[in-house]
């Protein structure tokens, strides 16, 4: 009997009025009617006959070829007469990093202080760093800041700073991205206009020009272009708060927090190491409040 199997890399999620199928191998997602999600809710295949019967139940019996071709063309299912067994994806979240991302806010920039912080973060396996400076004096200083990460394990850097004359030359800014592969985002506040320029669409590298002052109370922009569609992020979201899990922040006063918006702090970098802060009661509580 001919069956349609859903690819093992596809995860099914029901929403209020429609469903979504995420393909972790192809890094894409497809919206589908909720009844399609229900067909594969507890099993990975369904016979063509059962598929037709369900279409009839939902008043879509005339659309069998349409829906079947839609699912096949989007590489969600495949047809076969064989019985196939495959291993299910594990939904257990695992990471070798104690911190996966960090925020560092500076009032008065200090190269040595930044080096020491990056060194501490490396001990925890942190690969993503966001840094805020109120002002950067010139392009040379900007390059020197990025050079601190040259021999580090950090993979992704986001820099937020006020717009100034050093950013007039767009070609020169874009060159910073090509010279520093770890730089993914440059957010320029108090700029003459609001605009976004993508330096590299494939790797989602961009420059944001914003007329407003930066406010950490404004959480990240929600846009389909920034959606993560991979198994580690999906599994993390099942058990953790994907914003706060394994995040650490050093605010403008040097206080160690989970996030800049939170009141609680767990010491100050002047007298507390990150290793000491993470062991304090309450630091990890927010990691486990999933959305």
């Amino acid at each position: 009997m001919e069956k349609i199997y859903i690819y093992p890399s596809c995860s099914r999620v029901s929403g209020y009025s429609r469903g979504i199928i995420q393909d972790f191998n192809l890094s894409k997602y497809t919206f589908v009617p909720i009844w399609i999600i229900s067909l594969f809710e507890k099993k990975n295949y369904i016979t063509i006959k059962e598929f037709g019967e369900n279409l009839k139940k939902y008043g879509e019996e005339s659309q069998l070829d349409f829906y079947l071709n839609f699912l096949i063309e989007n590489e969600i299912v495949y047809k076969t007469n064989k019985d196939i067994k495959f291993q299910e994806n594990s939904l257990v979240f695992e990471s070798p990093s104690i911190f996966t991302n960090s925020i560092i806010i500076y009032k008065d920039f200090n190269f040595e202080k930044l080096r020491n912080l990056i060194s501490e973060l490396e001990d925890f396996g942190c690969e993503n760093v966001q840094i805020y400076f109120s002002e950067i004096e010139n392009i040379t200083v900007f390059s020197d800041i990025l050079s601190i990460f040259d021999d580090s394990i950090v993979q992704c850097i986001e820099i937020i700073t006020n717009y100034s004359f050093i950013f007039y030359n767009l070609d020169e800014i874009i060159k910073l991205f090509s010279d520093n592969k770890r730089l993914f985002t440059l957010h320029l506040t108090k700029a003459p206009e609001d605009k976004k320029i993508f330096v590299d669409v494939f790797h989602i590298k961009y420059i944001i020009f914003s007329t407003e002052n930066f406010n950490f109370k404004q959480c990240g922009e929600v846009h389909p272009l920034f959606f993560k569609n991979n198994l580690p992020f999906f599994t993390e979201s099942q058990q953790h708060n994907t914003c706060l899990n394994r995040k650490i922040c050093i605010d403008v006063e040097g206080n160690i927090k989970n996030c800049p918006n939170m009141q609680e702090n767990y010491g100050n970098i002047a007298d507390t190491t990150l290793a000491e802060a993470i062991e304090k009661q309450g630091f990890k509580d927010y990691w486990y409040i999933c959305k």
Side-chain angles (χ1 to χ4, degrees):
M1 184 178 293
E2 196 168 36
K3 304 172 184 176
I4 53 174
Y5 281 83
I6 190 165
Y7 283 100
S9 62
C10 291
S11 177
R12 293 81 78 188
V13 181
S14 290
Y16 177 74
S17 60
R18 59 181 174 176
I20 191 170
I21 294 178
Q22 295 175 260
D23 190 322
F24 302 127
N25 283 355
L26 299 179
S27 190
K28 71 172 187 177
Y29 59 90
T30 306
F31 290 109
V32 297
I34 284 183
W35 61 265
I36 287 182
I37 301 292
S38 67
L39 296 183
F40 298 100
E41 190 170 12
K42 295 181 180 179
K43 53 185 177 179
N44 295 308
Y45 73 89
I46 187 171
T47 65
I48 296 293
K49 182 181 178 182
E50 288 174 310
F51 189 67
E53 289 171 351
N54 275 277
L55 282 169
K56 188 175 182 180
K57 187 194 312 182
Y58 292 100
E60 300 276 6
E61 60 266 32
S62 63
Q63 300 295 314
L64 189 146
D65 289 339
F66 169 79
Y67 280 114
L68 193 55
N69 289 333
F70 171 80
L71 293 173
I72 292 171
E73 287 170 6
N74 281 279
E75 300 181 85
I76 295 169
V77 303
Y78 57 96
K79 291 192 298 182
T80 181
N81 290 312
K82 299 178 180 178
D83 290 327
I84 299 175
K85 292 183 179 180
F86 49 79
Q87 186 174 350
E88 289 280 355
N89 285 316
S90 171
L91 295 183
V92 176
F93 172 71
E94 294 179 323
S95 172
S97 302
I98 296 175
F99 295 130
T100 55
N101 57 103
S102 58
I103 298 173
I104 304 171
I105 307 171
Y106 274 108
K107 181 173 22 179
D108 302 309
F109 174 66
N110 181 297
F111 273 100
E112 194 59 36
K113 188 185 291 185
L114 180 58
R115 283 194 188 91
N116 292 338
L117 275 174
I118 298 306
S119 178
E120 276 197 83
L121 288 170
E122 280 193 288
D123 291 339
F124 293 98
C126 186
E127 295 184 346
N128 305 283
V129 178
Q130 181 188 77
I131 313 176
Y132 173 83
F133 305 98
S134 60
E135 188 176 345
I136 296 178
E137 296 175 6
N138 53 60
I139 290 294
T140 301
V141 171
F142 196 109
S143 298
D144 289 344
I145 291 168
L146 292 172
S147 69
I148 292 174
F149 297 89
D150 284 351
D151 298 318
S152 74
I153 65 168
V154 173
Q155 300 295 310
C156 178
I157 303 167
E158 177 178 356
I159 291 184
I160 304 163
T161 189
N162 290 333
Y163 180 86
S164 67
F165 72 93
I166 71 169
F167 300 111
Y168 288 171
N169 189 331
L170 187 59
D171 291 336
E172 198 171 36
I173 305 174
I174 291 174
K175 189 174 183 298
L176 288 169
F177 283 83
S178 59
D179 290 345
N180 302 274
K181 302 302 182 184
R182 291 175 173 84
L183 180 61
F184 271 69
T185 308
L186 174 59
H187 191 140
L188 300 174
T189 62
K190 297 183 179 179
E193 59 180 326
D194 293 310
K195 63 180 179 179
K196 180 182 291 183
I197 298 173
F198 281 90
V199 178
D200 184 338
V201 175
F202 181 77
H203 292 105
I204 318 181
K205 296 186 177 186
Y206 55 91
I207 306 165
I208 296 176
F209 294 82
S210 173
T211 55
E212 298 181 0
N213 196 7
F214 189 80
N215 185 351
F216 278 99
K217 291 184 178 180
Q218 297 172 337
C219 289
E221 180 181 356
V222 177
H223 190 283
L225 190 61
F226 305 140
F227 289 176
K228 288 184 179 179
N229 190 13
N230 56 56
L231 188 57
F233 188 75
F234 182 81
T235 54
E236 182 182 15
S237 70
Q238 307 306 303
Q239 306 166 44
H240 299 283
N241 186 299
T242 50
C243 177
L244 297 174
N245 184 40
R246 299 170 192 255
K247 173 182 280 184
I248 190 166
C249 167
I250 293 88
D251 74 8
V252 69
E253 303 298 335
N255 296 316
I256 304 168
K257 299 181 174 182
N258 294 111
C259 168
N261 295 330
M262 294 191 167
Q263 296 298 316
E264 304 99 319
N265 74 73
Y266 302 91
N268 190 286
I269 57 172
D271 52 29
T272 306
T273 66
L274 303 187
E276 291 169 337
I278 194 174
E279 295 304 325
K280 291 191 176 182
Q281 186 175 1
F283 187 94
K284 299 178 185 176
D285 288 357
Y286 294 103
W287 293 9
Y288 299 94
I289 303 175
C290 77
K291 298 176 184 178

